[in-house]
Amino acid sequence: MVRILVVDDDRNTRKLFSEIFAAEGYAVVSAANGVEALECMDREQVHLAVVDVMMPEMDGIETFHRIRNKGGLYFEKVPIIALTANAIAGAREMFLAEGFTDFLEKPVENSVLQRVLLRNLPEEKLCFNKEREERKIENANRNEDS
């Protein structure tokens, strides 16, 4: 099962991401700050991490660099997505230049989140809610027949 780490100091944001990812069939691990995120990644491997860049104690940028500096292929390659509510012009480019794998802006739109997952998880790891997708296709086919 695919495990996604959500790191954010806001409990509501962690809960929202957990609900979204769980509904899609992913296992979710959450951390309230960078220190917890590092401890979590030492205990278990995740397939993707979504890290808020503005957190107390250890911000997301420092957390990102500490993960990458742990050594080993896993820590060098695990996709780490920057998450921010304060997206200024050029924020995406800034975080990508910092080394993040991808970027999300709060509030996160579901379609944007799906595209980020498509770009950053291997195809065999994607587990979109097949039942919901089948209903969408079925409804689209009905509309075409009308």
Side-chain angles (χ1 to χ4, degrees), residues 4 7-8 14 20 34 49 56 60-61 63 65 78 83 89 91 93 97 99 108-109 112 117 121 136-137 141-142:
I4 298 176
V7 186
D8 198 305
R14 290 192 312 272
I20 292 169
I61 294 172
T63 301
H65 286 294
V78 63
L83 176 67
E93 293 76 17
V108 177
E109 293 179 28
V112 174
L117 293 175
L121 286 174
K136 282 183 186 177
I137 292 168
N141 289 339
R142 275 193 213 131

Side-chain angles (χ1 to χ4, degrees), residues 14-145:
R14 290 192 312 272
K15 183 179 182 209
L16 177 65
F17 269 98
S18 293
E19 290 171 357
I20 292 169
F21 288 137
E24 295 293 345
Y26 299 104
V28 180
V29 181
S30 65
N33 57 55
V35 173
E36 286 182 17
L38 293 170
E39 291 170 356
C40 174
M41 291 185 81
D42 284 338
R43 284 191 312 270
E44 62 181 292
Q45 288 193 347
V46 298
H47 297 92
L48 182 131
V50 177
V51 180
D52 184 25
V53 294
M54 299 292 292
M55 296 183 292
E57 294 180 54
M58 182 189 305
D59 68 20
I61 294 172
E62 183 179 350
T63 301
F64 166 79
H65 286 294
R66 287 197 183 188
I67 292 168
R68 290 293 190 241
N69 290 328
K70 282 183 163 287
L73 192 58
Y74 165 69
F75 293 110
E76 292 172 11
K77 299 292 183 186
V78 63
I80 303 174
I81 313 305
L83 176 67
T84 186
N86 300 321
I88 57 170
R92 176 180 173 71
E93 293 76 17
M94 179 182 73
F95 291 119
L96 293 178
E98 190 70 39
F100 282 90
T101 311
D102 215 325
F103 169 81
L104 283 169
E105 181 179 352
K106 294 178 191 176
V108 177
E109 293 179 28
N110 193 45
S111 62
V112 174
L113 181 59
Q114 296 296 340
R115 284 193 300 273
V116 166
L117 293 175
L118 282 168
R119 282 194 300 262
N120 295 290
L121 286 174
E123 188 174 338
E124 69 274 7
K125 298 288 184 190
L126 294 170
C127 41
F128 298 115
N129 188 316
K130 290 179 181 32
E131 184 178 303
R132 187 175 68 216
E133 292 304 313
E134 288 170 1
R135 279 196 307 266
K136 282 183 186 177
I137 292 168
E138 196 175 286
N139 288 338
N141 289 339
R142 275 193 213 131
N143 290 338
E144 287 177 7
D145 293 340

